[in-house]
Amino acid sequence: MSPAVPEHIPVTGPAGDTALAAEWAHWFGELVRSRASIYDVAGLLLEERSPAFLQAVENRLRQATGAAETAKRYEVEQWRTRRNSPGLALPKLVHSIEKELGRKAAPFNLEFRILPVAGLWVHQVAPNCVLMSFDIQSDPDAMGRLLGPIVRELAH
């Protein structure tokens, strides 16, 4: 993931804390994914949680909400920075493929799903849908190399 996400949440303290780690990870994930302000939604996401978990949240709520807000800000910044990159690079890629083919490309639609994964990565999940990393958008050569075969096939 980009930014990196730890595979395991470090747990310290009494043995009971280990049992709360999975519940904490689930709750924190909901907190990060929520569209509302962390401070508006934090309490709502605590319904139907165990008393031990509620105590753990109370002990760490400030740190958890701060980390969730940071994650949300990062996601928004990345989206704003890169939201139009594939759309801007695609016409250049299509034009270069048209030169190779010696004709205009056949009309096609291609949906991009941008994922927060590190590195240069493209995966075609359907004939007209690709998953791609954020990083590939800033590397036109890699985009052409990895996305080119998919576009070439659609352009036939």
Side-chain angles (χ1 to χ4, degrees):
M1 298 297 293
S2 178
V5 175
E7 287 185 37
H8 303 287
I9 297 173
V11 179
T12 59
D17 288 353
T18 304
L20 296 175
E23 191 174 0
W24 178 270
H26 179 73
W27 174 79
F28 186 75
E30 289 176 353
L31 204 57
V32 171
R33 287 186 298 276
S34 70
R35 299 269 183 218
S37 163
I38 295 300
Y39 300 101
D40 293 338
V41 78
L44 297 174
L45 294 176
L46 292 174
E47 294 174 357
E48 300 179 20
R49 301 289 181 185
S50 69
F53 180 78
L54 293 174
Q55 184 61 52
V57 169
E58 185 177 322
N59 293 342
R60 299 284 185 230
L61 184 60
R62 182 173 292 143
Q63 294 94 329
T65 54
E69 284 290 350
T70 299
K72 280 185 166 191
R73 277 193 303 277
Y74 178 84
E75 186 177 309
V76 168
E77 284 175 25
Q78 292 301 308
W79 179 80
R80 284 182 182 153
T81 301
R82 298 175 176 169
R83 68 179 171 212
N84 293 324
S85 295
L88 295 175
L90 188 59
K92 290 179 185 177
L93 181 57
V94 171
H95 184 68
S96 70
I97 290 171
E98 287 175 335
K99 280 185 168 182
E100 287 176 25
L101 297 173
R103 61 173 174 77
K104 286 288 208 187
F108 66 89
N109 292 317
L110 183 59
E111 180 181 349
F112 296 96
R113 298 282 174 105
I114 314 254
L115 302 176
V117 293
L120 304 173
W121 188 81
V122 170
H123 180 70
Q124 187 173 14
V125 294
N128 296 80
C129 183
V130 296
L131 304 176
M132 60 192 293
S133 66
F134 273 130
D135 294 343
I136 200 165
Q137 299 173 88
S138 58
D139 188 333
D141 293 334
M143 182 180 275
R145 188 177 69 253
L146 297 172
L147 199 55
I150 295 167
V151 173
R152 190 172 289 106
E153 181 66 30
L154 293 171
H156 277 271

